[in-house]
Amino acid sequence: MTSGIDTGVLSQKTRYAIRAMQHLADRYGQGPVHLQEISDKQNIPAKFLTVILSELSRLGIVESQRGKDGGYWLALSPIDISYGDLIRVMRGSLALVPCASRFAHEKCKNCLEEGDCRTRALMLEVRDRTAELLDGFRLSDPISPVPAFAADEQD
Amino acid sequence: MTSGIDTGVLSQKTRYAIRAMQHLADRYGQGPVHLQEISDKQNIPAKFLTVILSELSRLGIVESQRGKDGGYWLALSPIDISYGDLIRVMRGSLALVPCASRFAHEKCKNCLEEGDCRTRALMLEVRDRTAELLDGFRLSDPISPVPAFAADEQD
DNA sequence: TTATTGTCAACAAAATGAGTTGAGAATATT
DNA sequence: AATATTCTCAACTCATTTTGTTGACAATAA
């Protein structure tokens, strides 16, 4: 029972950001890492990566230095950066709908009054549980990649 | 610590679909419901709603009848339709990234090899937990709307 | 036969997403 | 000082997706 195509919830930009941050986590404590190295190893278009890293730098989550032997490094220890943080930072919210976000709260367009909206009530619960889950995973976690699928069950 | 704007994960169309289904759930067993009624009460543009309901009808999740006193009704009991189903049907997957979807599985563009991708390993876990959560809520659930926020904590 | 109501493909405008261009600023080396 | 290196960042482009609308048609009931 399905129809639509899958665009993915996390934008390409957010996925790049996550991989870049994982890369920096791996190099934590080893001095500045070149943008070019991250671009090469993580398969991210270099120019686009400058946009992403500059943004993360402005947000204070990574630090940077210019000039020869410049580069980027994490502003915090990998254990202090959760995947929830990364997603929040990149897409503004963990919520599935704007009205269910606390931090980036915004009325959903064309919706009912918030006080009458069951979808919102549900999505608040979903957001809380999702936040709990995503904040539990941190950049320091030694995550084992999972082999590609053996075509099985449902989504 | 935030930046981006919140587009919302669930598209407007998906949100409309959910509200329309909730409306039909409330009228379950009461015969066909006019599109116009749903449009009015749920604040959904009528013409757009025809697209949505036709789609749900083609998918077999609602049934319809034309002519005078025609309309739409749920093809299943509200207790047999989960919010997970609705989201899967409308957006193809519950996963945050295409490569972490079982049903609509697809390689993420410009990513690493799947067997090497830590993000994927994580997102598989997130998908499982999200599915569990969303499939636990059903159209039959008596959800109490939550009052608008008293500006508080984080997202 | 007429009014009502759903069906559906095609179209259009707007928003979003992905990525590039290119000029500049900071740093280190010579 | 001059030069090479590396990050900064606003502006721009291009493609895709989203959000609808139009309008012709099909089924049903009175």
Side-chain angles (χ1 to χ4, degrees):
Chain A
M1 190 212 271
T2 196
S3 74
I5 42 164
D6 187 4
T7 320
V9 168
L10 301 187
S11 67
Q12 187 72 297
K13 189 177 173 187
T14 299
R15 291 177 225 170
Y16 288 157
I18 291 175
R19 291 217 305 282
M21 292 295 279
Q22 285 171 336
H23 193 95
L24 291 181
D26 292 344
R27 294 276 185 291
Y28 187 64
Q30 297 174 26
V33 180
H34 286 171
L35 185 143
Q36 196 58 52
E37 174 187 320
I38 305 175
S39 167
D40 291 344
K41 297 278 180 58
Q42 298 296 329
N43 197 22
I44 303 172
K47 276 300 199 172
F48 196 22
L49 187 54
T50 69
V51 175
I52 295 167
L53 286 173
S54 295
E55 201 172 319
L56 292 170
S57 172
R58 266 195 307 279
L59 289 163
I61 199 171
V62 309
E63 292 182 338
S64 63
Q65 182 164 21
R66 308 190 216 195
K68 181 95 162 101
D69 291 324
Y72 301 87
W73 61 95
L74 295 186
L76 289 66
S77 168
I79 205 175
D80 290 321
I81 303 176
S82 75
Y83 283 87
D85 289 334
L86 293 182
I87 296 176
R88 257 187 293 261
V89 152
M90 292 306 293
R91 55 179 315 284
S93 171
L94 294 180
L96 297 183
V97 291
C99 69
S101 168
R102 291 192 195 269
F103 200 88
H105 181 270
E106 205 174 316
K107 256 184 93 166
C108 294
K109 194 195 147 207
N110 261 15
C111 197
L112 308 179
E113 284 306 304
E114 289 196 356
D116 298 334
C117 183
R118 275 179 288 176
T119 305
R120 174 163 171 274
L122 193 63
M123 294 305 155
L124 284 170
E125 173 77 15
V126 172
R127 182 221 49 199
D128 285 344
R129 302 271 300 264
T130 305
E132 210 176 299
L133 177 59
L134 285 171
D135 286 335
F137 293 111
R138 289 159 183 284
L139 277 183
S140 52
D141 292 349
I143 298 166
S144 304
V146 174
F149 274 134
D152 51 4
E153 59 208 294
Q154 64 169 1
D155 170 42
Chain B
M1 192 211 272
T2 196
S3 75
I5 43 162
D6 187 3
T7 320
V9 169
L10 302 186
S11 67
Q12 187 73 299
K13 188 178 174 187
T14 298
R15 292 177 225 170
Y16 286 158
I18 291 175
R19 293 217 304 283
M21 293 295 280
Q22 285 171 335
H23 194 95
L24 291 181
D26 291 344
R27 294 276 184 291
Y28 187 64
Q30 298 174 27
V33 180
H34 287 170
L35 184 143
Q36 196 57 53
E37 175 186 319
I38 305 175
S39 166
D40 290 345
K41 298 278 180 57
Q42 298 295 329
N43 197 21
I44 303 172
K47 277 300 199 172
F48 197 23
L49 186 53
T50 69
V51 175
I52 295 167
L53 285 173
S54 294
E55 200 173 319
L56 292 171
S57 172
R58 266 196 307 280
L59 289 164
I61 199 170
V62 310
E63 291 182 339
S64 63
Q65 182 163 24
R66 308 191 216 196
K68 181 92 161 98
D69 292 324
Y72 301 86
W73 61 95
L74 295 186
L76 290 65
S77 167
I79 205 176
D80 290 321
I81 303 176
S82 76
Y83 283 87
D85 289 333
L86 293 181
I87 295 176
R88 256 187 293 261
V89 153
M90 293 305 293
R91 57 179 314 284
S93 172
L94 294 180
L96 296 183
V97 291
C99 70
S101 167
R102 289 192 196 270
F103 200 86
H105 181 270
E106 206 174 317
K107 256 185 94 165
C108 295
K109 193 195 149 206
N110 260 14
C111 196
L112 307 179
E113 283 307 304
E114 289 195 357
D116 297 334
C117 183
R118 275 179 288 178
T119 305
R120 174 163 171 275
L122 195 63
M123 294 307 156
L124 284 169
E125 173 77 15
V126 172
R127 180 221 49 199
D128 285 343
R129 302 271 300 264
T130 305
E132 211 176 299
L133 177 59
L134 285 171
D135 286 335
F137 292 112
R138 289 159 182 283
L139 278 183
S140 52
D141 293 349
I143 298 166
S144 305
V146 174
F149 275 132
D152 51 5
E153 60 207 294
Q154 63 169 3
D155 168 39

